[in-house]
Amino acid sequence: MPADAVPDTLTDPPAATDPVPSAAPFPSPSPAPSPSSAPVPVTGWGRTAPTAARLIRPRSYEEAVAAVRECGVRGGIPRGLGRAYGDAAQNAGGVVLDMTALDRVHAIDVAEGTVLCDAGVSLHRLMEVLLPLGWFVPVTPGTRYVTVGGAIGADIHGKNHHVSGSFARHVRSFELLTADGRVRSVRPGTPLFDATAGGMGLTGVILTATLRLHPVETSLMSVDTERAADLDDLMARMTAADHRYRYSVAWIDLLARGAATGRAVLTRGEHAPLDALSPRARRTPLAFRTPSFPAAPALFPEGLLSRRTVGLFNEVWYRRAPRVRTGELQRMSTFFHPLDGVPHWNRVYGRGGFVQYQFVVGHGQEEALRRIVRRISGRRCPSFLAVLKRFGEADPGWLSFPVPGWTLALDVPAGMPGLGGFLDALDDEVAGAGGRVYLAKDARLRPELLAAMYPRLADFRALRAELDPRGVFTSDLSRRLAL
C-alpha cells in the first residue's frame, strides 16, 4: 500500500501474526543498497559536532537486512528525520541508515484504536491519516517531524507524561532487525523491549510497530493559560492542578532574576469536544491544518540571539500573556508544535548551532531545581526556548529518560563563552540530586556520570554485549559514553 494511502476497508493489525516470523531470518537478501559514494557530514538538530559517515537508505526490509550486514568495522546506526539534538544518530567513519524510505501505514483498526506502520513513518504523517478517523497519536514531543522508530528509540515524552507516560508505553509490539540479520517480534515486558525503548538505536533497527492511539472528537485544543510570578508560584500551580489536564507545560523566563526568578507562562489543555466548536467549525471538526511560515535563512546573522535580544523577547512574551484565560480554542499544531511552522528554525542560532540541555530531578528535589534555575539566570544564559514540565510514573525502558519529578529543557547558543564548564557543573548538580540528562538531546555528557544517572546501565550493556558482540550498531553517542 502506498505511504499516502489509507485502505477503503481498514483492517485489524494482526494481534499475534507478525510481518515476519519471530526471530526468523529473512530470505537471502538482495544486494545492499548503494551507500553514498563518499562520507558526508552528519549532525543532530543542534548542528554541533558534525562527523562524516556513509549514508544508506533502505527501501525494503530486505535492503535493510543487507545494509546491516554490510556496515563494516565502524558499524552503523539507524536514523529517522534527524531531530535528535546531539550525536545519537551520527557515526563517524561508519554507516548511517536513513530509515525514512520505509514509511508505509499498513493497517488501522478504527474500532480498537491501533495502527500498524513502518518505523520510518513520521508522526506528522500519522496525524494526517488518523485524525480524520477520530484518533490521535498517544504522545507527541515539541515536533511532529520524528519517525515512529525514533520515537521508540528515544522513548519520547510530551506535555502529557504526568497522565500518559512516554511513547513506548503505548507500543503493543515492534519488529526489530538485530545484528545477526534476524528479525524479532518484541513485546512489552521483555528485556529486549526495555533495552530498545530509550536505547537510542543501539539494539537494532526497528522495522514496524503497532501503536495504541488516543480517541478525539475534534482537531482543536481547549487551552487554559495563566502567568506565574516566580518559580515557586509556578510549581505550586502545577502541583495543585496539573492532574485536571491531559497536557501541561510552562514556558519559563531564565533571564529573569531577583523576585521574578523563574517567572513563567503556564499553558494547559485538553482535546476540545465537538460541542465546544462553532456550528461552522463542526462541519469539518477533524480537519488537520498546519500553518507554515518562511524558512529561516541558511545564513543567519551571528550573535543575533544575545542576552539583550533574548531578554527583550522574554519580557514581551511574558507581558503579552494573559494573567488568566480559559477555554481558548487552538489548532493542534499551534498547541503542540509551534516551531514546526518555521522550516529550519534551528538555523537562527547561526553557524555554531546550539545546545539543548534537558534534565529531570525527582519529587522532593525541588530545592535542587531552584538552585539550578538560579544558577542559569545568574549566568545570564540567552535562552528563549525554556520549558518546565512534570513527569509522572517512570517508564520501564532501561535508558528511558523520564522519572517522577520536574524536567527543565533549555536551549543556548553553542558559542556562549564558558558553556562547557557551566553545563558540566549543572550535570554534577543534577547527578547529586539523583536526576539525569536526556540522551536524545545530549552531545557532551561526561561518561563517568552516566551510571549514576541511569541505574539500569549495566543491564543495558550486558544485553548489548550478548545481542551484538561485534558492535554492529554503533554511534558517536555510544562511543562517547561507552554504551
Side-chain angles (χ1 to χ4, degrees):
M1 181 173 64
D4 59 352
V6 178
D8 293 332
T9 302
L10 301 173
T11 59
D12 293 352
T17 304
D18 305 313
V20 293
S22 176
F26 260 104
S28 298
S30 56
S34 299
S36 56
S37 58
V40 297
V42 180
T43 74
W45 190 245
R47 304 175 71 214
T48 61
T51 56
R54 293 184 299 130
L55 298 180
I56 302 179
R57 192 168 189 253
R59 294 156 296 180
S60 67
Y61 304 146
E62 291 83 0
E63 286 190 356
V65 174
V68 167
R69 288 174 172 165
E70 298 295 328
C71 276
V73 295
R74 293 288 286 182
I77 192 71
R79 180 183 177 94
L81 289 168
R83 291 305 177 104
Y85 285 80
D87 56 2
Q90 299 174 210
N91 184 23
V95 168
V96 169
L97 300 168
D98 177 351
M99 300 302 296
T100 56
L102 294 175
D103 61 353
R104 294 171 294 173
V105 177
H106 293 282
I108 303 168
D109 186 329
V110 177
E112 292 294 326
T114 60
V115 60
L116 170 63
C117 62
D118 284 344
V121 173
S122 70
L123 298 191
H124 174 85
R125 183 63 188 139
L126 283 183
M127 292 175 196
E128 288 182 324
V129 172
L130 296 171
L131 268 172
L133 304 175
W135 295 97
F136 189 62
V137 295
V139 171
T140 177
T143 176
R144 60 187 179 272
Y145 295 113
V146 297
T147 62
V148 168
I152 297 171
D155 201 12
I156 60 171
H157 57 271
K159 299 175 175 68
N160 59 338
H161 191 276
H162 63 292
V163 172
S164 303
S166 58
F167 194 86
R169 191 180 298 184
H170 306 273
V171 175
R172 290 180 54 176
S173 65
F174 56 80
E175 305 301 317
L176 185 73
L177 168 59
T178 51
D180 55 7
R182 303 174 78 86
V183 176
R184 303 165 190 258
S185 180
V186 185
R187 299 184 184 277
T190 62
L192 188 51
F193 188 100
D194 293 344
T196 303
M200 307 310 299
L202 295 171
T203 59
V205 179
I206 299 171
L207 297 176
T208 69
T210 300
L211 313 176
R212 289 188 298 267
L213 306 170
H214 180 71
V216 295
E217 295 182 10
T218 76
S219 61
L220 296 177
M221 304 297 297
S222 177
V223 181
D224 294 352
T225 304
E226 56 191 282
R227 288 199 323 223
D230 56 34
L231 182 61
D232 284 343
D233 182 28
L234 173 63
M235 290 193 291
R237 291 170 186 258
M238 297 177 79
T239 301
D242 267 5
H243 65 279
R244 302 175 190 164
Y245 298 85
R246 177 168 291 274
Y247 304 99
S248 175
V249 65
W251 170 87
I252 185 169
D253 183 358
L254 292 177
L255 282 173
R257 293 187 290 183
T261 299
R263 67 179 181 177
V265 178
L266 176 58
T267 306
R268 295 183 282 207
E270 297 281 356
H271 294 281
L274 186 62
D275 59 14
L277 274 59
S278 67
R280 180 178 180 182
R282 290 181 199 178
R283 299 174 190 168
T284 55
L286 292 165
F288 182 46
R289 299 183 177 92
T290 56
S292 184
F293 302 97
L299 297 176
F300 210 85
E302 295 289 337
L304 187 63
L305 296 182
S306 65
R307 291 169 182 166
R308 182 179 179 215
T309 58
V310 173
L312 179 61
F313 171 87
N314 287 2
E315 182 70 27
V316 171
W317 191 261
Y318 181 78
R319 295 297 175 187
R320 71 185 291 271
R323 292 186 181 276
V324 177
R325 181 175 61 203
T326 61
E328 180 191 16
L329 293 181
Q330 293 183 6
R331 292 178 179 176
M332 284 182 171
S333 55
T334 301
F335 181 76
F336 290 111
H337 315 118
L339 288 174
D340 281 348
V342 183
H344 306 294
W345 65 262
N346 56 338
R347 294 173 178 170
V348 304
Y349 296 86
R351 291 181 182 274
F354 71 104
V355 173
Q356 181 148 122
Y357 183 74
Q358 184 168 4
F359 68 90
V360 59
V361 293
H363 294 304
Q365 294 294 333
E366 284 77 11
E367 187 53 42
L369 177 61
R370 294 184 187 99
R371 287 196 303 268
I372 292 171
V373 170
R374 287 195 296 265
R375 292 180 74 160
I376 295 170
S377 62
R379 185 66 171 74
R380 310 294 288 155
C381 293
S383 176
F384 72 97
L385 293 176
V387 295
L388 184 74
K389 296 192 292 283
R390 292 175 71 239
F391 281 158
E393 182 181 349
D395 298 288
W398 292 345
L399 297 185
S400 184
F401 170 64
V403 294
W406 303 90
T407 180
L408 177 65
L410 62 143
D411 66 293
V412 286
M416 191 181 93
L419 179 61
F422 177 69
L423 294 181
D424 285 346
L426 294 190
D427 289 341
D428 292 334
E429 184 94 42
V430 169
R436 57 183 59 164
V437 301
Y438 192 15
L439 297 183
K441 295 184 177 180
D442 177 61
R444 34 135 316 269
L445 180 67
R446 289 167 290 156
E448 61 267 23
L449 292 179
L450 192 64
M453 293 181 171
Y454 289 89
R456 300 299 299 271
L457 177 62
D459 295 327
F460 179 82
R461 286 171 169 161
L463 185 142
R464 269 203 77 207
E466 179 181 354
L467 191 67
D468 185 8
R470 296 184 294 113
V472 171
F473 295 109
T474 307
S475 66
D476 291 353
L477 174 76
S478 71
R479 278 188 287 266
R480 176 169 56 84
L481 295 178
L483 286 172

